[in-house]
Amino acid sequence: CFKVFAILNDTLHLLTTVNLTICKYVKYSNGGHFLVANERSNIIIFDSIYYESLHYFDGHTSLIRDIVITEDDSKIISTCDTGYVYCWDMNNPESNQEKENWEHRNNMYNKILYDSRNDLFFGCTPEKNICIYQNNCKEKLVEFISTDFDANAAVISKKHNVLILGTNKGTIRVFMWPLNKSSLELEPVGNPPGDAFKYKYPEFLEY
């Protein structure tokens, strides 16, 4: 279940309790006019006044691992234990067209983000891979391996043009954003060196 409280001066007042099974994610939309939660493999949209369910999205076949709401609240992007990534259209919730256009499967993701301005999908996997896709999550741009940490939190700051990752070491890593081909350097690989090239792990600050 999840509970909603009102903040009243120096106390909390319980507004409602919503009973759900295996609910791990509860997020308000950026405009505050709806709330998103999961129940097992389903995604449920609630209104933010009476907390009544408005719509169910039920395409996933395993437990939800992460949910992202786009900046303009027009889409919800979700991933599950089997690694599928779906996009749900809040402007037309009865249609599966956006979901079908977006359907993507990779390794399981611990954390996902989506930058709608640059059409960039970002995902971290349990195998320490950092993946970036474009074109509705269809085209892989780059993939890096972070051998020395697991990312357990992530956020993109549009104001400062940075990607911030929280690590299992208790630190944060700050990368320039967007990470795309024009902002990354190539390095030679192969034997002899220069037979092939790959993108270098991007520079970062750690705190």
Side-chain angles (χ1 to χ4, degrees), residues 21-26 37-40 63-65 81:
T21 304
I22 311 183
C23 176
K24 296 178 62 178
Y25 297 95
V26 180
N38 82 291
E39 183 175 38
R40 296 183 182 271
L63 294 178
I64 300 293
R65 289 189 67 86
D81 280 349

Side-chain angles (χ1 to χ4, degrees), residues 62-86:
S62 59
L63 294 178
I64 300 293
R65 289 189 67 86
D66 201 7
I67 296 172
V68 172
I69 305 172
T70 58
E71 192 172 352
D72 61 359
D73 293 330
S74 65
K75 294 178 176 62
I76 295 169
I77 298 153
S78 56
T79 189
C80 63
D81 280 349
T82 48
Y84 281 99
V85 176
Y86 292 146

Side-chain angles (χ1 to χ4, degrees), residues 47-172:
D47 77 87
S48 58
I49 298 177
Y50 301 106
Y51 298 96
E52 296 176 348
S53 62
L54 301 175
H55 194 79
Y56 276 70
F57 294 117
D58 59 356
H60 286 289
T61 57
S62 59
L63 294 178
I64 300 293
R65 289 189 67 86
D66 201 7
I67 296 172
V68 172
I69 305 172
T70 58
E71 192 172 352
D72 61 359
D73 293 330
S74 65
K75 294 178 176 62
I76 295 169
I77 298 153
S78 56
T79 189
C80 63
D81 280 349
T82 48
Y84 281 99
V85 176
Y86 292 146
C87 178
W88 314 95
D89 188 355
M90 286 300 296
N91 294 322
N92 189 12
E94 300 299 332
S95 171
N96 278 332
Q97 186 63 43
E98 192 71 18
K99 168 185 171 290
E100 292 165 0
N101 289 342
W102 255 76
E103 186 171 325
H104 159 81
R105 186 172 188 271
N106 194 11
N107 297 324
M108 183 171 58
Y109 291 109
N110 288 334
K111 183 67 183 175
I112 61 173
L113 295 172
Y114 180 64
D115 177 356
S116 55
R117 181 191 305 169
N118 295 293
D119 183 26
L120 292 176
F121 169 87
F122 169 90
C124 302
T125 75
E127 292 80 18
K128 304 182 188 295
N129 291 352
I130 294 176
C131 308
I132 301 176
Y133 286 78
Q134 66 178 4
N135 189 23
N136 287 355
C137 209
K138 297 293 188 184
E139 179 185 347
K140 182 186 287 186
L141 279 177
V142 289
E143 184 170 355
F144 309 103
I145 299 178
S146 300
T147 58
D148 61 333
F149 79 97
D150 288 312
N152 49 33
V155 65
I156 294 170
S157 171
K158 302 288 183 64
K159 179 179 179 180
H160 301 289
N161 294 320
V162 294
L163 166 69
I164 304 171
L165 299 182
T167 77
N168 63 330
K169 303 191 301 180
T171 63
I172 62 170

Side-chain angles (χ1 to χ4, degrees), residues 178-193:
L179 288 174
N180 52 34
K181 291 181 179 179
S182 63
S183 64
L184 295 169
E185 295 182 28
L186 289 168
E187 62 179 356
V189 294
N191 190 14

